């Protein structure tokens, strides 16, 4: 009884106001708190400006980036569906740092039998209720993919130590590489090419009922990871979704294919007389000055004739590409090739399309024209396209981009007829993938870390290009409203746009649609086209052929417009608020 009475007394003493004590509500009003306003400035979130990435969003006077040059000899073995390569890599250390090792990307290793990618992208518990998926994942013989490294040697033929960690390979330098120095080494490798129609993927081959293959080959060679002045080596693993961070360089490449194949690639063909027939070479030259309508370099009739046989002989294509961040190519005897020149400022650019007869009449009618339209609209909003060509390849179930070349799906029915939906999808994917030449192939953001900086920004400019091509097929009036369903969804399934791409649900909405809708709202409503277009163009020109970060984009847009947009970046990009 005494104890209970004492507790009751203490409780009464503590809870009863005395000596002028304020009420609980009054105390809450006086308590200090952090600034949690939605209009709080972004200074705490953005990195501190420095001499490489300035407070204005522009590159600083001490900005540096590495350069990597490649000389490669590639063989496409169609009979065995193998790709064999021998490459000489010249690494230029332009940073102020001393490097003890280099990190090399081995993207094909995501297809190796011991790859952990299926554990990440396997589809979850539903695989237990899908016999075909279950059999393929757990009972079938795994595809023997992944790089087979035969050797890594220096220029004197001495072996170089290396260590492979899944899709990354550390090359240990014989001696530290000082600032301003270069290191040259050789890698010999091969791998089995995947049937991407069966095993999916961003590259591989498509097998046709007539026995021919159509090859779209990318991420096919060991290539250097980025070393920058923001985070050092960008060596996050490639699990198959978040894409690539790469250095600019020059590529001198030879590709040996069956003699009856037609090929195009990143860069310019150096020996067109040797690889085309006499008639095709004449058309190739004529196309360089044909501006109004596409003309054939390889005709449908020539493609139909070629696909009826398989040559046992080979020919070698010589390609050179300058100041690009990657290299890819497509090859098949089934290819038709049409072309048209596009005038952009003082530069003439070739718009090319390569497609099988299965793509016609849709591709003949629209592909090259869509390429030309994309180059014109993107150049208007950024800078004149600096490369010699942009090529669209018809590869079913594809939508993937590389410098100067991209793979795009979309085909008519067997009778040649197609719906507006098929037409819209095909034009849309071509516009999107060709547009990626600007973001991130030239404005070279880190796709592995910040997917929205290439996919979201590109999807925004894509809206303007599609509308210019066909305003009835691609109206702009619903672009902002379409994202509201995603934004009003279950918060446990939403992530801020400023999230690494491998760590989010709803990847497409998060990385493509929401940032595109946000930029559309900024242009059409908040800033207005005049202010927005100038600021956007300023950002693109500041960072072309360089490595921008999100802060560089945010700061450039404000610096060039005199608008405080921190509240918008915070709400739209850093939170999931609606």
């Amino acid at each position: 009884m005494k104890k209970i009475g004492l507790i009751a007394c203490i409780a009464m003493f503590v809870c009863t106001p005395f000596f002028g004590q304020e009420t609980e509500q009054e105390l809450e009003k006086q308590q200090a708190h952090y600034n949690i306003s939605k209009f709080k400035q972004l200074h705490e979130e953005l990195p501190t400006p420095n001499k490489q990435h300035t407070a204005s969003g522009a590159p600083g006077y001490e900005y540096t980036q590495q350069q990597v040059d490649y000389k490669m000899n590639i063989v496409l073995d169609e009979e065995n569906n193998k790709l064999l390569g021998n490459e000489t890599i010249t690494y230029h250390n332009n940073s102020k740092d001393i490097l003890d090792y280099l990190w090399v990307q081995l993207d094909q290793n995501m297809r190796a039998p011991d790859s952990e990618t299926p554990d990440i992208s396997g589809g979850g518990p539903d695989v237990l209720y899908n016999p075909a998926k279950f059999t393929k994942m757990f009972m079938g013989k795994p595809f023997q993919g992944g790089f087979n490294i035969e050797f890594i040697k220096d220029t004197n033929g001495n072996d170089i130590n290396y260590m492979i960690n899944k899709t990354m390979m550390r090359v240990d330098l014989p001696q530290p590489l000082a600032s301003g120095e270069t290191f040259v080494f050789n890698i010999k490798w091969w791998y089995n090419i995947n049937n991407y129609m069966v095993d999916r993927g961003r590259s591989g081959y498509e097998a046709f009922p007539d026995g021919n293959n159509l090859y779209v080959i990318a991420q096919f060679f060991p290539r250097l990871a980025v070393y920058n002045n923001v985070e050092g080596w960008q060596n996050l693993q490639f699990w198959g979704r978040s894409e690539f961070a790469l250095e600019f360089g020059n590529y001198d490449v030879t590709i040996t294919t069956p003699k009856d194949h037609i090929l195009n690639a990143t860069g310019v063909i150096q020996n067109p007389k040797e690889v085309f027939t006499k008639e095709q070479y004449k058309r190739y030259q004529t196309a360089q000055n044909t501006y109004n309508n596409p003309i054939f370099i390889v005709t449908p009739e020539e493609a139909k004739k070629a696909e009826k046989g398989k040559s046992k002989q080979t020919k070698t294509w010589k390609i050179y590409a300058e100041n690009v961040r990657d290299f890819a190519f497509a090859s098949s005897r089934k290819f038709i090739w049409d072309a048209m020149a596009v005038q952009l400022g003082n530069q003439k650019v070739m718009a090319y399309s390569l497609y099988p007869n299965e793509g016609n009449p849709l591709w003949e009618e629209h592909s090259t024209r869509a390429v030309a339209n994309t180059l014109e609209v993107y150049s208007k909003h950024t800078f004149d396209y600096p490369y010699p060509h942009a090529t669209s390849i018809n590869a079913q179930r594809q939508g993937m981009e590389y410098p100067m070349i991209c793979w795009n799906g979309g085909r008519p029915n067997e009778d040649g007829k197609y719906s507006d939906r098929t037409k819209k999808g095909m034009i849309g994917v071509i516009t999107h993938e060709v547009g990626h030449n600007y973001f991130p192939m030239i404005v070279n953001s880190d796709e592995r870390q910040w997917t929205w900086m290439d996919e979201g920004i590109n999807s925004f400019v894509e809206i303007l290009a599609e509308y210019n091509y066909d305003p009835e097929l691609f109206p702009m009036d619903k672009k902002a409203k379409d994202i509201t369903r995603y934004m009003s969804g279950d918060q446990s399934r939403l992530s801020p746009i400023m999230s690494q791409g491998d760590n989010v649900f709803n990847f497409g909405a998060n990385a493509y649609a929401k940032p595109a809708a946000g930029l559309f709202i900024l242009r059409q409503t908040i800033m207005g086209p005049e202010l927005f277009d100038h600021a956007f163009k300023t950002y693109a020109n500041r960072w072309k052929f360089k490595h921008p970060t999100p802060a560089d984009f945010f700061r450039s847009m404000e610096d060039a417009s005199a608008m405080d947009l921190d509240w918008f970046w915070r709400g739209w990009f850093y939170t999931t608020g609606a």
Side-chain angles (χ1 to χ4, degrees):
M1 290 294 292
K2 289 182 180 179
K3 290 182 179 178
I4 295 174
L6 177 61
I7 293 170
C9 181
I10 293 172
M12 182 174 66
F13 179 81
V14 171
C15 297
T16 303
F18 64 101
F19 297 125
Q21 183 175 346
E22 291 89 351
T23 65
E24 192 171 325
Q25 290 80 7
E26 289 173 332
L27 279 172
E28 287 181 358
K29 289 180 181 178
Q30 295 176 20
Q31 284 178 348
H33 65 273
Y34 289 102
N35 182 354
I36 57 173
S37 169
K38 292 181 179 180
F39 294 92
K40 179 184 174 184
Q41 297 298 113
L42 273 180
H43 297 315
E44 293 177 16
E45 285 80 1
L46 297 182
T48 303
N50 54 48
K51 296 173 185 178
Q52 294 90 31
H53 295 261
T54 66
S56 70
Y61 67 90
E62 287 190 359
Y63 175 84
T64 63
Q65 65 187 36
Q66 311 294 64
Q67 177 177 330
V68 189
D69 300 325
Y70 299 84
K71 187 170 184 178
M72 295 190 284
N73 296 308
I74 307 299
V75 175
L76 174 61
D77 180 353
E78 183 181 36
E79 185 175 347
N80 298 298
N81 283 319
K82 284 186 178 182
L83 199 70
L84 304 92
N86 198 326
E87 63 184 293
T88 298
I89 301 173
T90 302
Y91 189 87
H92 304 256
N93 183 14
N94 298 326
S95 75
K96 301 298 183 184
D97 304 328
I98 297 173
L99 303 179
D100 295 315
Y101 46 77
L102 309 176
W103 280 103
V104 176
Q105 303 184 54
L106 301 178
D107 305 311
Q108 290 297 325
N109 281 4
M110 67 162 285
R111 304 199 169 281
D114 61 350
S115 169
E116 295 179 12
T117 294
D119 299 338
I120 295 169
S121 59
D126 69 305
V127 72
L128 300 176
Y129 307 102
N130 186 317
K133 277 188 177 180
F134 185 90
T135 301
K136 182 178 178 181
M137 286 188 65
F138 300 110
M139 299 176 66
K141 183 180 179 181
F143 175 67
Q144 298 299 306
F147 279 108
N148 296 273
I149 305 295
E150 295 196 8
F151 64 70
I152 301 181
K153 296 179 181 289
D154 64 18
T155 53
N156 295 318
N158 300 313
D159 289 333
I160 297 175
N161 292 330
Y162 63 93
M163 187 277 295
I164 295 175
N165 177 13
K166 301 179 179 68
T167 62
M168 287 288 168
M169 176 171 68
R170 192 190 68 233
V171 175
D172 296 323
L173 298 172
Q175 59 187 34
L177 187 65
S179 175
E181 292 184 345
T182 61
F183 179 68
V184 182
F185 62 107
N186 302 297
I187 306 179
K188 187 177 182 182
W189 51 266
W190 65 271
Y191 71 83
N192 293 313
I193 305 172
N194 59 297
N195 181 335
Y196 74 77
M197 295 290 285
V198 175
D199 298 315
R200 304 178 67 184
R202 301 165 188 269
S203 67
Y205 70 89
E206 175 185 358
F208 286 79
D210 61 16
N212 290 298
N213 292 338
L214 187 160
Y215 294 90
V216 285
I217 304 297
Q219 296 109 250
F220 68 90
F221 59 101
R223 51 193 184 156
L224 267 293
V226 166
Y227 182 85
N228 64 26
N229 43 35
V230 175
E231 58 187 354
W233 284 107
Q234 169 45 289
N235 54 10
L236 291 175
Q237 294 291 336
F238 176 53
W239 301 118
R241 185 161 77 179
S242 293
E243 294 174 355
F244 314 107
L246 298 159
E247 304 283 13
F248 287 103
N250 303 321
Y251 287 74
D252 186 353
V253 184
T254 64
I255 307 171
T256 299
T257 69
K259 189 175 182 179
D260 50 4
H261 270 220
I262 294 295
L263 175 148
N264 202 17
T266 301
V268 176
I269 299 170
Q270 302 296 297
N271 58 335
K273 273 189 174 182
E274 298 174 17
V275 293
F276 291 130
T277 66
K278 188 175 181 180
E279 293 77 15
Q280 289 166 353
Y281 178 68
K282 285 181 181 178
R283 298 184 211 125
Y284 178 78
Q285 289 182 306
T286 301
Q288 311 300 311
N289 295 299
T290 302
Y291 291 88
N292 297 323
N293 292 296
I295 66 168
F296 288 117
I297 295 173
V298 179
T299 67
E301 293 73 24
E302 289 170 332
K304 285 180 180 178
K305 182 179 179 182
E307 69 186 20
K308 291 179 180 178
K310 286 188 178 181
S311 176
K312 296 295 184 182
Q313 297 179 297
T314 63
K315 63 183 174 185
T316 298
W317 304 71
K318 298 177 182 178
I319 316 287
Y320 184 77
E322 188 172 349
N323 202 22
V324 294
R325 56 162 251 168
D326 202 358
F327 189 97
F329 68 93
S331 184
S332 178
R333 64 178 54 83
K334 292 180 68 68
F335 277 145
I336 301 164
W337 185 339
D338 70 38
M340 181 172 72
V342 184
Q343 192 69 40
L344 299 172
N346 297 322
Q347 175 148 335
K348 177 181 68 177
V349 177
M350 295 306 301
Y352 291 138
S353 294
L354 283 74
Y355 47 94
N357 272 285
E358 286 82 352
N360 262 342
L362 182 60
W363 275 69
E364 181 180 332
E365 293 169 356
H366 290 287
S367 178
T368 297
R369 290 180 175 87
V371 172
N373 174 75
T374 304
L375 295 176
E376 290 168 351
V377 175
Y378 275 70
S379 293
K380 175 184 174 182
H381 288 279
T382 57
F383 42 77
D384 288 341
Y385 184 74
Y387 292 135
H389 73 83
T391 294
S392 171
I393 305 291
N394 181 213
Q396 195 68 316
R397 300 185 197 170
Q398 283 287 344
M400 195 58 205
E401 74 281 355
Y402 303 93
M404 304 186 219
I405 195 167
C406 55
W407 334 137
N408 305 301
R411 286 182 191 151
N413 301 326
E414 289 186 13
D415 61 5
K417 295 180 181 179
Y418 55 87
S419 64
D420 279 349
R421 181 179 179 180
T422 298
K423 174 183 171 183
K424 182 177 181 178
M426 174 260 205
I427 294 169
V429 71
I430 290 173
T431 303
H432 183 87
E433 306 307 344
V434 172
H436 269 308
N437 276 285
Y438 295 80
F439 308 98
M441 300 301 153
I442 298 170
V443 182
N444 190 13
S445 58
D446 180 353
E447 299 177 87
R448 188 71 48 86
Q449 195 75 265
W450 305 115
T451 309
W452 70 266
M453 286 194 74
D454 69 293
E455 297 296 357
I457 291 177
N458 181 48
S459 295
F460 158 68
V461 190
E462 177 191 350
I463 295 170
L464 308 179
E466 290 171 343
Y467 181 78
N468 189 72
Y469 189 84
D470 190 335
E472 292 186 8
L473 198 62
F474 298 97
M476 288 202 292
D477 58 337
K478 295 183 179 180
K479 292 302 179 183
K481 288 189 291 184
D482 287 348
I483 198 60
T484 57
R485 183 178 178 185
Y486 164 71
M487 292 178 68
S488 61
D490 181 357
Q491 280 285 336
S492 69
R493 306 280 293 186
L494 301 181
S495 300
I497 293 171
M498 290 290 291
S499 301
Q500 201 274 335
D502 290 323
N503 301 326
V504 300
F505 294 110
N506 299 300
F507 177 75
N510 181 278
Y512 293 68
K514 187 183 175 186
L519 296 178
F520 184 82
I521 292 169
L522 270 184
R523 183 180 191 267
Q524 302 301 115
T525 304
I526 297 171
M527 299 176 71
E530 185 176 3
L531 272 180
F532 180 94
D533 289 352
H534 174 76
F536 188 75
K537 200 165 195 172
T538 297
Y539 163 73
N541 280 276
R542 281 176 171 178
W543 290 98
K544 62 183 179 183
F545 299 112
K546 294 182 176 68
H547 300 301
T549 67
D552 298 318
F553 177 69
F554 298 147
R555 285 169 168 154
S556 288
M557 292 298 292
E558 296 189 18
D559 181 69
S561 67
M563 288 193 72
D564 178 5
L565 299 171
D566 278 19
W567 63 274
F568 187 81
W569 309 132
R570 177 182 296 284
W572 199 268
F573 285 79
Y574 282 86
T575 80
T576 60

